[in-house]
């Protein structure tokens, strides 16, 4: 209902309006920009350290992601594997005990 009340415009008019709009936006970005092309970005030290850390994970060195982190990641990975193994053993023990209860 709303679209029916709008005036009809030709395609040529719409394209001229959009070209004018795009041209004015582009011109305002070029002439009204306050940044310099050769200025160094003002990046906080913590963010720069994170970006450097991410670069080590993007290198294609044949290692999986969980193997690229260093010693601490290896320790955490092996601790996780140990926890999974202990949980599996306990699950089998409980299932066996519930399946075959001890004789009274």
């Amino acid at each position: 209902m709303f679209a029916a009340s709008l005036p009809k415009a030709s395609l040529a008019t719409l394209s001229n309006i959009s070209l004018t709009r795009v041209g004015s936006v582009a011109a305002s970005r070029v002439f009204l920009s306050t940044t310099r092309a050769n200025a160094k970005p003002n990046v906080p030290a913590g963010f720069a350290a994170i970006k450097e850390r991410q670069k080590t994970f993007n290198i294609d060195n044949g290692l999986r992601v969980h193997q690229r982190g260093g010693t601490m990641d290896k320790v955490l990975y092996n601790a996780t594997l140990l926890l999974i193994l202990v949980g599996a053993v306990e699950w089998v023990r409980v299932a066996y005990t519930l399946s075959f209860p001890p004789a009274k």
Side-chain angles (χ1 to χ4, degrees), residues 1-96:
M1 184 173 291
F2 176 71
S5 66
L6 292 175
K8 299 201 189 264
S10 69
L11 186 58
T13 305
L14 290 175
S15 67
N16 286 340
I17 292 171
S18 65
L19 284 176
T20 304
R21 174 78 177 136
V22 168
S24 67
V25 169
S28 67
R29 287 187 181 168
V30 169
F31 293 115
L32 300 177
S33 178
T34 58
T35 60
R36 290 178 281 158
N38 60 356
K40 283 190 171 182
N42 187 11
V43 179
F47 183 73
I50 291 172
K51 294 306 280 181
E52 286 298 320
R53 179 90 170 144
Q54 287 176 348
K55 286 180 185 178
T56 62
F57 285 95
N58 287 335
I59 297 172
D60 186 18
N61 56 3
L63 296 176
R64 296 178 182 162
V65 173
H66 67 273
Q67 295 171 335
R68 295 181 186 190
T71 306
M72 190 60 186
D73 279 352
K74 289 178 185 175
V75 168
L76 290 173
Y77 178 73
N78 289 327
T80 303
L81 289 180
L82 179 66
L83 186 65
I84 290 170
L85 180 67
V86 169
V89 168
E90 276 298 305
W91 181 83
V92 169
R93 187 190 62 80
V94 169
Y96 181 80

